[in-house]
Amino acid sequence: MALPHGIKTVDELPVEGKRVFVRVDYNVPFDKATKQITDDARIRATLPTLRNLIDRGARIVLGSHLGRPDGKVKPELSLEPIAAKLAELIGLDVVLADEPVGDGARKVVSDLRDGQIAMLENLRWNPGEEANDETMARTLASYCDVYVNDAFGTAHRAHASTSGMVKFVSEKGAGFVMAKEIDFLSRLLGKVDRPYVAVLGGSKVSDKIDVLDALLEKVDAIIIGGAMANTFLEAQGKSVGASKVETDKLPVARLFLKKSVEKLKKVYLPTDVACGTGLDDDKPIFVLVDHISSHQMALDIGPGSIELFRRVLTEARTVFWNGPMGVFEQPQWAAGTMAVAKALADNKLALTVVGGGDSAAAIAQAGLADKVSHVSTGGGASLEFVQGLALPGIEALKA
């Protein structure tokens, strides 16, 4: 695939017999008690990049973060279970250094032979990673001859391993995960088939207002669901009972709705909701948005909203979806989110892109991830990309 601005893909780089630093995103969920990984999708996603390098005799140095250790050594956030899982998946030994940088890391890297894999310990154990410290960047760069970024989920962060070290390495490029992300998400920025519909959900308007404003310039319609819809409904003068509302964002919501009318862009909000008195209620009560009582909270969209959103998505020819319609982790509040997932999967004529995070989890839960055009591996990164913002991890790869 042709990438913008002369970014090379991993198969275009001279890696034979060379040390190749691969920034991966192995920030995977795992059970801290048993140290068992509960979802290895991010590890599996990088296997084509790693196999390409192994087959060509590269000496692979992997770098990743895990969790938020805040620059401190936290054994509970060691990459040890991840190194073990990767070894199992790829069928090769993976040697884990006991530190992200230092004498131990240098020794592990220097002992590598062609086709072998080493993994540095959690990069965020060192405060220089998130600070994009030049000393750490230069040290990481000294471990390699070629740099490959396959961690799209961290591309919006200007850290030592995603941005700072790249200028000190002569050869650089994108792994297959990164290349596919750039390819599909770039299609949403250029000339698209219309109608172009964005579906945004989740809990907070404050998390999504920038992307809402940016998408208003690009799309034909926006569907808003999840708890953030409550703030927009209240901004319209509806009473949403005990539902979660960001009262300080009501003026922002009103301004957005006003701008959508001025720009002749359609905004679809729920017409009915699935209510309960708490998350543990096991029987949703379906209520029109004008009739939510003071003790009820909206926890999912209702059947009328599902049908409305389904019709809009059926007619769409380009769709970007980020954020659930309700508390989909609990089955009684999952119907709206699953319906959006199914509507995207059923639309065979559209380019359908799911923007990571909870939406990616939801479409996987629905068993429909392979029925859409693309499921992004990065929530925050995909949101910034579709706004047209420059992502440091991608900018660093440009020729």
Side-chain angles (χ1 to χ4, degrees), residues 276-290:
T277 54
L279 291 176
D280 296 332
D281 278 10
D282 54 5
K283 290 212 171 153
I285 297 167
F286 300 112
V287 183
L288 293 173
V289 291
D290 294 340

Side-chain angles (χ1 to χ4, degrees), residues 58-308:
R59 304 178 179 196
I60 301 167
V61 182
L62 296 174
S64 179
H65 71 282
L66 178 64
R68 298 178 183 274
D70 301 319
K72 300 181 180 70
V73 174
K74 294 189 176 175
E76 69 273 20
L77 292 176
S78 168
L79 294 183
E80 189 176 354
I82 284 132
K85 173 56 76 171
L86 174 61
E88 175 193 317
L89 291 172
I90 208 158
L92 290 170
D93 288 340
V94 177
V95 181
L96 178 68
D98 60 2
E99 57 188 355
V101 290
D103 292 341
R106 190 174 295 105
K107 172 80 164 64
V108 166
V109 171
S110 66
D111 287 348
L112 277 173
R113 296 293 173 260
D114 294 359
Q116 292 184 335
I117 306 173
M119 184 183 289
L120 303 177
E121 194 39 287
N122 192 335
L123 293 169
R124 289 189 186 171
W125 279 8
N126 187 306
E129 164 66 356
E130 292 186 87
N132 197 9
D133 173 72
E134 184 171 322
T135 300
M136 181 164 182
R138 285 183 179 276
T139 304
L140 289 172
S142 74
Y143 298 159
C144 66
D145 311 297
V146 180
Y147 175 89
V148 172
N149 195 333
D150 215 21
F152 177 75
T154 66
H156 58 317
R157 308 290 187 206
H159 291 169
S161 67
T162 60
S163 176
M165 70 179 286
V166 188
K167 57 180 169 284
F168 304 119
V169 185
S170 58
E171 293 282 355
K172 60 196 177 184
F176 295 131
V177 172
M178 178 71 86
K180 187 181 179 194
E181 294 277 10
I182 296 171
D183 177 28
F184 273 95
L185 292 169
S186 293
R187 297 183 202 182
L188 298 177
L189 296 176
K191 191 169 183 287
V192 299
D193 290 337
R194 296 188 179 275
Y196 177 7
V197 179
V199 186
L200 291 174
S203 60
K204 292 183 178 177
V205 175
S206 50
D207 289 345
K208 302 277 170 77
I209 193 60
D210 288 342
V211 75
L212 279 166
D213 280 339
L215 286 170
L216 199 58
E217 304 296 325
K218 305 176 193 301
V219 303
D220 301 295
I222 295 179
I223 291 171
I224 299 175
M228 64 187 274
N230 302 331
T231 302
F232 285 94
L233 290 168
E234 189 149 307
Q236 288 183 327
K238 308 268 195 315
S239 175
V240 294
S243 304
K244 182 177 180 178
V245 172
E246 289 176 278
T247 52
D248 61 322
K249 297 301 175 194
L250 288 169
V252 171
R254 287 190 195 102
L255 180 61
F256 174 79
L257 293 170
K258 181 171 176 282
K259 281 191 290 192
S260 70
V261 172
E262 289 168 356
K263 292 177 184 294
L264 304 177
K265 301 295 176 76
K266 191 74 179 165
V267 174
Y268 294 94
L269 290 165
T271 55
D272 62 343
V273 288
C275 283
T277 54
L279 291 176
D280 296 332
D281 278 10
D282 54 5
K283 290 212 171 153
I285 297 167
F286 300 112
V287 183
L288 293 173
V289 291
D290 294 340
H291 294 83
I292 303 171
S293 66
S294 60
H295 67 282
Q296 291 177 319
M297 57 178 76
L299 297 169
D300 192 12
I301 58 174
S305 304
I306 286 173
E307 179 53 27
L308 169 65

